[in-house]
Protein backbone atom coordinates (compact mmCIF):
# COMPACT_ATOMS: atom_id res chain seq x y z
CA UNK A 1 0.00 0.00 0.00
CA UNK A 2 1.36 3.41 -1.00
CA UNK A 3 1.46 5.95 1.82
CA UNK A 4 -0.85 8.92 1.40
CA UNK A 5 1.80 11.41 2.47
CA UNK A 6 -0.02 14.66 2.73
CA UNK A 7 -1.17 17.62 4.81
CA UNK A 8 -4.76 18.26 5.75
CA UNK A 9 -7.00 20.48 7.82
CA UNK A 10 -10.24 19.20 9.33
CA UNK A 11 -12.44 21.95 10.71
CA UNK A 12 -15.81 23.24 11.88
CA UNK A 13 -17.14 26.72 11.22
CA UNK A 14 -18.23 27.96 14.65
CA UNK A 15 -20.54 30.53 13.02
CA UNK A 16 -22.57 28.12 10.88
CA UNK A 17 -21.72 24.64 12.16
CA UNK A 18 -20.51 23.63 8.67
CA UNK A 19 -17.80 20.96 8.61
CA UNK A 20 -14.99 20.53 6.14
CA UNK A 21 -11.69 19.00 5.10
CA UNK A 22 -8.99 20.57 2.93
CA UNK A 23 -6.08 18.40 1.78
CA UNK A 24 -3.10 18.48 -0.59
CA UNK A 25 -0.49 15.89 -1.52
CA UNK A 26 2.01 14.48 -4.00
CA UNK A 27 -0.49 11.67 -4.58
CA UNK A 28 -2.93 11.13 -7.42
CA UNK A 29 -6.53 12.12 -6.58
CA UNK A 30 -6.00 12.61 -2.85
CA UNK A 31 -9.61 13.75 -2.54
CA UNK A 32 -10.76 10.20 -3.26
CA UNK A 33 -9.09 8.83 -0.12
CA UNK A 34 -8.61 11.41 2.63
CA UNK A 35 -11.70 13.61 3.27
CA UNK A 36 -14.92 12.43 4.91
CA UNK A 37 -17.68 14.54 6.44
CA UNK A 38 -21.33 14.39 7.45
CA UNK A 39 -23.46 17.41 8.30
CA UNK A 40 -24.28 17.85 11.99
CA UNK A 41 -22.00 14.88 12.81
CA UNK A 42 -18.33 15.58 12.07
CA UNK A 43 -15.42 15.34 9.65
CA UNK A 44 -12.40 13.04 9.29
CA UNK A 45 -9.14 13.05 7.32
CA UNK A 46 -7.40 9.66 7.05
CA UNK A 47 -3.88 9.51 5.58
CA UNK A 48 -0.38 7.94 5.77
CA UNK A 49 -0.96 4.33 4.66
CA UNK A 50 -4.54 5.50 5.02
CA UNK A 51 -7.11 3.16 6.46
CA UNK A 52 -10.16 4.11 4.35
CA UNK A 53 -12.46 2.62 7.00
CA UNK A 54 -11.50 5.40 9.42
CA UNK A 55 -13.70 7.85 7.50
CA UNK A 56 -17.09 6.12 7.58
CA UNK A 57 -16.34 4.33 10.86
CA UNK A 58 -15.34 7.56 12.57
CA UNK A 59 -18.52 9.29 11.41
CA UNK A 60 -20.67 6.38 12.59
CA UNK A 61 -19.03 6.51 16.01
CA UNK A 62 -19.59 10.26 16.25
CA UNK A 63 -23.23 9.79 15.35
CA UNK A 64 -23.81 7.46 18.30
CA UNK A 65 -22.10 9.83 20.72
CA UNK A 66 -18.46 8.75 20.79
CA UNK A 67 -15.87 11.42 21.63
CA UNK A 68 -12.40 11.84 20.11
CA UNK A 69 -10.62 9.58 22.60
CA UNK A 70 -13.34 6.96 22.27
CA UNK A 71 -12.85 6.92 18.49
CA UNK A 72 -9.08 6.62 18.88
CA UNK A 73 -9.57 3.68 21.23
CA UNK A 74 -11.80 1.89 18.70
CA UNK A 75 -9.31 2.49 15.89
CA UNK A 76 -6.46 1.21 18.07
CA UNK A 77 -8.41 -1.90 19.03
CA UNK A 78 -9.39 -2.76 15.45
CA UNK A 79 -6.33 -1.76 13.42
CA UNK A 80 -3.03 -3.60 14.09
CA UNK A 81 -1.24 -1.16 11.77
CA UNK A 82 -2.27 1.97 13.70
CA UNK A 83 1.39 3.00 14.09
CA UNK A 84 1.47 3.70 10.32
CA UNK A 85 -1.71 5.74 10.31
CA UNK A 86 -2.42 9.42 10.64
CA UNK A 87 -5.81 11.03 11.01
CA UNK A 88 -7.56 14.16 12.17
CA UNK A 89 -11.16 14.56 13.23
CA UNK A 90 -13.58 17.23 14.39
CA UNK A 91 -17.02 16.61 15.88
CA UNK A 92 -20.07 18.78 15.35
CA UNK A 93 -19.59 20.23 18.86
CA UNK A 94 -16.05 21.35 17.98
CA UNK A 95 -14.17 18.62 19.87
CA UNK A 96 -11.14 17.47 17.91
CA UNK A 97 -8.14 15.16 17.77
CA UNK A 98 -5.07 14.74 15.57
CA UNK A 99 -3.22 11.41 15.74
CA UNK A 100 0.16 10.54 14.20
CA UNK A 101 1.45 6.98 14.47
CA UNK A 102 5.07 6.42 15.48
CA UNK A 103 5.87 4.77 12.12
CA UNK A 104 4.65 7.63 9.89
CA UNK A 105 7.33 9.04 7.60
CA UNK A 106 9.12 12.12 8.94
CA UNK A 107 8.42 14.89 9.22
CA UNK A 108 5.07 13.91 10.63
CA UNK A 109 2.84 15.44 13.27
CA UNK A 110 -0.27 17.40 14.04
CA UNK A 111 -1.88 20.13 16.12
CA UNK A 112 -5.48 20.48 17.21
CA UNK A 113 -7.83 22.63 19.25
CA UNK A 114 -11.48 23.64 19.37
CA UNK A 115 -12.97 23.32 15.86
CA UNK A 116 -9.83 22.17 14.03
CA UNK A 117 -7.24 19.41 13.57
CA UNK A 118 -4.18 20.00 11.36
CA UNK A 119 -1.79 17.18 10.40
CA UNK A 120 0.69 16.01 7.83
CA UNK A 121 3.40 13.47 7.08
CA UNK A 122 6.45 13.36 4.83
CA UNK A 123 6.50 17.14 5.11
CA UNK A 124 9.40 19.56 4.81
CA UNK A 125 9.01 20.25 8.54
CA UNK A 126 6.67 21.28 11.38
CA UNK A 127 6.24 24.72 9.84
CA UNK A 128 3.75 23.22 7.38
CA UNK A 129 1.30 22.15 10.09
CA UNK A 130 1.95 25.38 11.99
CA UNK A 131 0.94 27.34 8.86
CA UNK A 132 -2.26 25.33 8.58
CA UNK A 133 -3.13 26.05 12.18
CA UNK A 134 -2.13 29.72 12.19
CA UNK A 135 -4.00 30.58 9.01
CA UNK A 136 -7.18 28.82 10.11
CA UNK A 137 -7.14 30.60 13.46
CA UNK A 138 -6.28 34.03 12.07
CA UNK A 139 -8.49 34.21 8.95
CA UNK A 140 -11.92 34.17 10.54
CA UNK A 141 -12.77 37.08 8.22
CA UNK A 142 -13.03 34.67 5.28
CA UNK A 143 -15.97 32.45 4.34
CA UNK A 144 -15.36 28.93 5.63
CA UNK A 145 -14.40 27.32 2.31
CA UNK A 146 -11.97 30.11 1.44
CA UNK A 147 -10.54 29.94 4.95
CA UNK A 148 -9.72 26.25 4.48
CA UNK A 149 -8.15 26.80 1.08
CA UNK A 150 -6.06 29.74 2.30
CA UNK A 151 -4.78 27.56 5.16
CA UNK A 152 -3.83 24.94 2.59
CA UNK A 153 -2.07 27.59 0.48
CA UNK A 154 -0.10 28.85 3.48
CA UNK A 155 1.00 25.32 4.31
CA UNK A 156 2.01 24.75 0.71
CA UNK A 157 4.07 27.95 0.72
CA UNK A 158 5.70 26.84 3.97
CA UNK A 159 7.05 23.72 2.24
CA UNK A 160 4.19 21.26 2.00
CA UNK A 161 4.78 17.67 0.94
CA UNK A 162 8.55 17.31 0.54
CA UNK A 163 8.10 15.12 -2.56
CA UNK A 164 6.31 17.92 -4.44
CA UNK A 165 2.77 18.70 -5.56
CA UNK A 166 0.09 16.77 -7.45
CA UNK A 167 -3.45 16.95 -6.05
CA UNK A 168 -5.72 18.81 -3.65
CA UNK A 169 -9.34 18.70 -2.53
CA UNK A 170 -11.95 20.59 -0.54
CA UNK A 171 -15.05 19.02 1.01
CA UNK A 172 -17.58 21.11 2.98
CA UNK A 173 -20.94 19.87 4.25
CA UNK A 174 -23.91 21.72 5.70
CA UNK A 175 -27.49 20.51 6.13
CA UNK A 176 -29.53 21.38 3.03
CA UNK A 177 -26.89 23.75 1.61
CA UNK A 178 -25.85 21.79 -1.45
CA UNK A 179 -27.37 21.51 -4.92
CA UNK A 180 -30.94 20.25 -4.72
CA UNK A 181 -30.80 20.22 -0.93
CA UNK A 182 -27.84 17.87 -0.60
CA UNK A 183 -25.62 18.34 2.45
CA UNK A 184 -22.42 18.09 0.38
CA UNK A 185 -22.32 21.66 -0.87
CA UNK A 186 -18.63 22.13 -1.78
CA UNK A 187 -16.89 19.05 -3.19
CA UNK A 188 -13.96 20.11 -5.37
CA UNK A 189 -11.02 17.97 -6.45
CA UNK A 190 -7.83 18.64 -8.38
CA UNK A 191 -6.53 15.18 -9.19
CA UNK A 192 -3.32 15.90 -11.13
CA UNK A 193 -1.94 19.41 -11.57
CA UNK A 194 1.45 21.14 -11.19
CA UNK A 195 -0.11 23.75 -8.85
CA UNK A 196 -3.06 21.93 -7.28
CA UNK A 197 -3.76 24.37 -4.44
CA UNK A 198 -3.87 27.36 -6.78
CA UNK A 199 -6.17 25.39 -9.07
CA UNK A 200 -8.38 24.48 -6.12
CA UNK A 201 -8.67 28.18 -5.27
CA UNK A 202 -9.72 28.89 -8.85
CA UNK A 203 -12.37 26.15 -8.78
CA UNK A 204 -13.74 27.50 -5.51
CA UNK A 205 -14.17 30.94 -7.07
CA UNK A 206 -16.21 29.36 -9.89
CA UNK A 207 -18.27 27.43 -7.35
CA UNK A 208 -19.06 30.67 -5.52
CA UNK A 209 -20.18 32.27 -8.77
CA UNK A 210 -22.50 29.41 -9.71
CA UNK A 211 -23.72 28.22 -6.31
CA UNK A 212 -22.89 31.02 -3.89
CA UNK A 213 -25.45 32.55 -1.55
CA UNK A 214 -28.27 34.39 -3.29
CA UNK A 215 -27.74 38.12 -3.60
CA UNK A 216 -30.30 40.87 -3.96
CA UNK A 217 -30.80 41.70 -7.62
CA UNK A 218 -30.91 45.32 -8.74
CA UNK A 219 -32.63 47.04 -11.63
CA UNK A 220 -30.54 47.32 -14.77
CA UNK A 221 -29.98 50.82 -16.10
CA UNK A 222 -30.97 51.63 -19.69
CA UNK A 223 -27.25 51.67 -20.57
CA UNK A 224 -26.81 48.18 -19.11
CA UNK A 225 -29.89 46.89 -20.95
CA UNK A 226 -28.45 48.34 -24.17
CA UNK A 227 -25.13 46.61 -23.49
CA UNK A 228 -26.94 43.32 -22.85
CA UNK A 229 -28.99 43.63 -26.03
CA UNK A 230 -25.80 44.28 -28.02
CA UNK A 231 -24.19 41.23 -26.44
CA UNK A 232 -27.25 39.03 -26.94
CA UNK A 233 -27.47 40.06 -30.59
CA UNK A 234 -23.77 39.33 -31.14
CA UNK A 235 -24.25 35.89 -29.62
CA UNK A 236 -27.19 35.18 -31.89
CA UNK A 237 -29.83 35.09 -29.15
CA UNK A 238 -31.61 38.37 -29.91
CA UNK A 239 -32.92 39.83 -33.16
CA UNK A 240 -34.70 42.89 -31.82
CA UNK A 241 -33.81 46.55 -31.58
CA UNK A 242 -30.88 47.66 -29.42
CA UNK A 243 -32.86 50.35 -27.66
CA UNK A 244 -32.02 50.09 -23.98
CA UNK A 245 -35.69 49.33 -23.29
CA UNK A 246 -36.59 45.99 -21.71
CA UNK A 247 -38.96 43.67 -23.59
CA UNK A 248 -40.00 40.02 -23.73
CA UNK A 249 -37.51 39.20 -26.50
CA UNK A 250 -34.63 40.58 -24.42
CA UNK A 251 -35.72 38.53 -21.41
CA UNK A 252 -36.02 35.34 -23.48
CA UNK A 253 -32.57 35.92 -24.97
CA UNK A 254 -31.05 36.62 -21.55
CA UNK A 255 -32.58 33.41 -20.20
CA UNK A 256 -30.79 31.55 -23.00
CA UNK A 257 -27.43 33.15 -22.22
CA UNK A 258 -27.87 32.62 -18.48
CA UNK A 259 -28.52 28.93 -19.12
CA UNK A 260 -25.43 28.61 -21.29
CA UNK A 261 -23.32 30.13 -18.50
CA UNK A 262 -24.94 27.93 -15.77
CA UNK A 263 -26.07 31.03 -13.91
CA UNK A 264 -29.69 29.97 -13.40
CA UNK A 265 -29.33 30.29 -9.63
CA UNK A 266 -28.61 34.01 -10.10
CA UNK A 267 -31.43 35.13 -12.39
CA UNK A 268 -35.12 35.34 -11.48
CA UNK A 269 -36.39 37.10 -14.59
CA UNK A 270 -37.08 40.68 -15.59
CA UNK A 271 -34.61 43.56 -15.97
CA UNK A 272 -32.87 42.58 -12.73
CA UNK A 273 -29.45 40.99 -12.07
CA UNK A 274 -27.28 40.66 -9.02
CA UNK A 275 -23.93 42.43 -9.09
CA UNK A 276 -21.87 39.22 -9.19
CA UNK A 277 -23.65 37.88 -12.26
CA UNK A 278 -23.49 41.22 -14.09
CA UNK A 279 -19.79 41.62 -13.33
CA UNK A 280 -19.10 38.09 -14.55
CA UNK A 281 -20.93 38.67 -17.84
CA UNK A 282 -19.08 41.96 -18.43
CA UNK A 283 -15.71 40.30 -17.78
CA UNK A 284 -16.60 37.23 -19.81
CA UNK A 285 -17.80 39.13 -22.85
CA UNK A 286 -15.80 42.34 -22.72
Amino acid sequence: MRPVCTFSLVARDPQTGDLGVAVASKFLAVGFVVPWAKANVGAVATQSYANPEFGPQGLELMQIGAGPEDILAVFARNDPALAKRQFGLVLSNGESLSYTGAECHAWAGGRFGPNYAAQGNLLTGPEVVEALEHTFLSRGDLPFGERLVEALAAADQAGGDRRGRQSAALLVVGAGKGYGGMERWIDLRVDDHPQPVAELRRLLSIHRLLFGPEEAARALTPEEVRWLQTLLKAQGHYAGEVSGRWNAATEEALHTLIGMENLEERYRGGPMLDETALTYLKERYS
Side-chain angles (χ1 to χ4, degrees):
M1 180 188 295
R2 284 187 60 196
V4 187
C5 304
T6 185
F7 52 100
S8 66
L9 176 65
V10 187
R12 171 183 175 271
D13 183 350
Q15 304 302 316
T16 65
D18 294 340
L19 296 147
V21 181
V23 57
S25 180
K26 178 66 168 68
F27 184 89
L28 180 68
V30 71
F32 177 71
V33 179
V34 173
W36 299 78
K38 184 172 180 57
N40 299 323
V41 175
V44 180
T46 175
Q47 56 204 52
S48 179
Y49 297 99
N51 183 336
E53 292 301 314
F54 281 3
Q57 188 178 78
L59 295 176
E60 288 173 8
L61 289 167
M62 293 176 195
Q63 200 154 19
I64 62 173
E69 294 297 334
D70 302 317
I71 296 168
L72 174 57
V74 173
F75 288 175
R77 186 164 60 246
N78 295 337
D79 187 350
L82 189 70
K84 295 180 180 292
R85 317 295 192 196
Q86 185 177 57
F87 66 87
L89 56 85
V90 174
L91 280 64
S92 62
N93 64 5
E95 291 184 79
S96 65
L97 177 71
S98 180
Y99 171 84
T100 300
E103 296 178 23
C104 291
H105 296 297
W107 188 88
R111 302 170 72 91
F112 64 96
N115 297 310
Y116 75 93
Q119 48 281 316
N121 63 93
L122 205 67
L123 304 180
T124 56
E127 62 276 2
V128 178
V129 170
E130 290 166 3
L132 279 171
E133 178 186 49
H134 173 75
T135 305
F136 177 73
L137 293 176
S138 64
R139 293 307 311 271
D141 57 304
L142 294 174
F144 187 52
E146 281 78 1
R147 188 176 176 185
L148 296 180
V149 170
E150 290 312 308
L152 212 60
D156 189 44
Q157 291 173 357
D161 186 327
R162 62 185 174 90
R163 301 167 304 168
R165 303 177 176 92
Q166 187 169 9
S167 66
L170 173 66
L171 173 63
V172 178
V173 297
K177 290 193 171 183
Y179 185 85
M182 291 189 298
E183 67 173 46
R184 192 178 69 253
W185 71 285
I186 304 178
D187 189 357
L188 302 174
R189 302 181 184 187
V190 179
D191 288 344
D192 185 26
H193 194 279
Q195 295 293 333
V197 176
E199 178 65 3
L200 186 64
R201 185 191 280 128
R202 187 186 74 84
L203 293 179
L204 180 57
S205 69
I206 296 173
H207 183 279
R208 289 300 192 193
L209 170 67
L210 302 181
F211 306 111
E214 189 169 347
E215 300 175 20
R218 67 166 177 82
L220 297 169
T221 67
E223 291 76 18
E224 288 167 337
V225 172
R226 188 177 294 108
W227 176 82
L228 271 175
Q229 289 171 333
T230 302
L231 165 62
L232 294 168
K233 179 166 281 199
Q235 295 299 311
H237 305 314
Y238 177 67
E241 182 184 357
V242 177
S243 63
R245 294 187 297 272
W246 193 258
N247 54 44
T250 301
E251 182 161 340
E252 182 179 353
L254 182 56
H255 268 295
T256 299
L257 182 65
I258 289 291
M260 293 180 67
E261 295 294 336
N262 291 316
L263 290 170
E264 294 91 341
E265 297 294 316
R266 290 192 172 274
Y267 183 55
R268 299 290 179 263
M272 308 280 290
L273 268 178
D274 71 48
E275 207 64 49
T276 297
L278 183 60
T279 299
Y280 169 77
L281 291 174
K282 287 180 176 178
E283 292 176 351
R284 170 81 168 83
Y285 292 101
S286 61

